[in-house]
Amino acid sequence: MRIILIGPPGAGKGTQCQRLVDYLRVPHLSTGEMLRAAVRAGTAEGLAAAHFMAQGQLVPDPMILGLVTKRLEAADCRDGCLLDGFPRTLPQAAMLDDLLDCRAMSVDGVIELAVPRDELVHRMLARKREDDNPEIFAKRIASFEVQTAPLLDYYKRQGKLASIDGLGTADEIFNRVREALRRLKRDSYQG
Ligand code: AMP
């Protein structure tokens, strides 16, 4: 299965992605992780991306597309993958559709982890990451609301969206994720 997990910063995507890749036995494609690895390695791409990431802004599409295309073409992604952090904008979603279309592939389902904004801020204050200072975090949330949230409607119209409550323990949320997968599978069989 080719699944996208969408949620605002601090929604707990990382934890659920780890569980999902074990459950689905597919590779985890996190553009944020790929970019952080490039920054750590000090590559030209990493240097170019670091500035945007530190400001809580999106990295330009050509770089993201390059990373994702290379990864999607790898043999281990042939039977599926879990996309995390991509697509993040409507143009990126269109690019992904094109990329998959050309390879006779498609997105099977999109799972939204829904968490209220107050809870996100509360969680952010309890954890520590470089791009987590309150001002930058607020920018990342705003970027989610303005640029990424429209994707929910995009996939809903295609009948591919399953929204789940992102509040609760990791186990409770993962049970909802599994239930959402079952629904998506059933609906895709019914066409
Ligand atoms: P994440 O770990 O997904 O929250 O991503 C961390 C940061 O990497 C984001 O705040 C963006 O600066 C950048 N980033 C990750 N994925 C994308 C994407 N699909 N498009 C643009 N920028 C991205």
Side-chain angles (χ1 to χ4, degrees):
M1 276 188 109
R2 220 159 274 108
I3 297 291
I4 301 171
L5 193 66
I6 295 185
K13 284 200 308 287
T15 308
Q16 296 305 318
C17 278
Q18 272 169 16
R19 293 180 178 219
L20 252 177
V21 291
D22 287 344
Y23 182 70
L24 293 172
R25 295 173 188 277
V26 293
H28 179 199
L29 271 59
S30 157
T31 42
E33 252 324 303
M34 292 179 205
L35 291 166
R36 282 188 287 278
V39 172
R40 279 196 301 271
T43 63
E45 274 176 341
L47 287 177
H51 166 76
F52 294 99
M53 296 169 77
Q55 299 298 316
Q57 290 171 3
L58 295 186
V59 171
D61 284 347
M63 189 186 301
I64 298 292
L65 207 64
L67 290 170
V68 173
T69 307
K70 215 187 304 171
R71 199 60 196 85
L72 273 178
E73 283 176 340
D76 63 338
C77 290
R78 210 179 38 216
D79 297 329
C81 64
L82 175 65
L83 288 163
D84 165 15
F86 176 88
R88 232 176 174 99
T89 61
L90 285 171
Q92 287 188 5
M95 287 175 210
L96 176 63
D97 284 346
D98 285 348
L99 205 73
L100 293 174
D101 266 359
C102 292
R103 292 160 181 80
M105 297 173 176
S106 62
V107 171
D108 295 303
V110 178
I111 298 176
E112 177 204 5
L113 268 187
V115 178
R117 179 192 262 259
D118 287 355
E119 172 67 15
L120 297 173
V121 174
H122 177 75
R123 288 183 190 180
M124 183 275 299
L125 293 171
R127 71 176 195 177
K128 185 81 205 91
R129 218 173 78 177
E130 252 171 47
D131 51 358
D132 260 2
N133 82 56
E135 195 188 327
I136 302 296
F137 192 75
K139 280 195 191 159
R140 293 174 62 220
I141 293 185
S143 159
F144 177 83
E145 288 170 349
V146 174
Q147 295 172 283
T148 308
L151 288 183
L152 301 173
D153 212 44
Y154 177 81
Y155 288 116
K156 191 175 179 179
R157 276 188 272 117
Q158 297 179 22
K160 291 182 177 173
L161 180 71
S163 295
I164 64 166
D165 179 1
L167 294 180
T169 65
D171 284 344
E172 285 165 349
I173 298 167
F174 191 60
N175 283 338
R176 291 174 206 143
V177 169
R178 274 193 309 220
E179 177 55 35
L181 277 178
R182 276 194 288 275
R183 278 203 307 275
L184 289 168
K185 266 191 195 156
R186 193 189 53 212
D187 293 350
S188 68
Y189 287 138
Q190 287 171 354

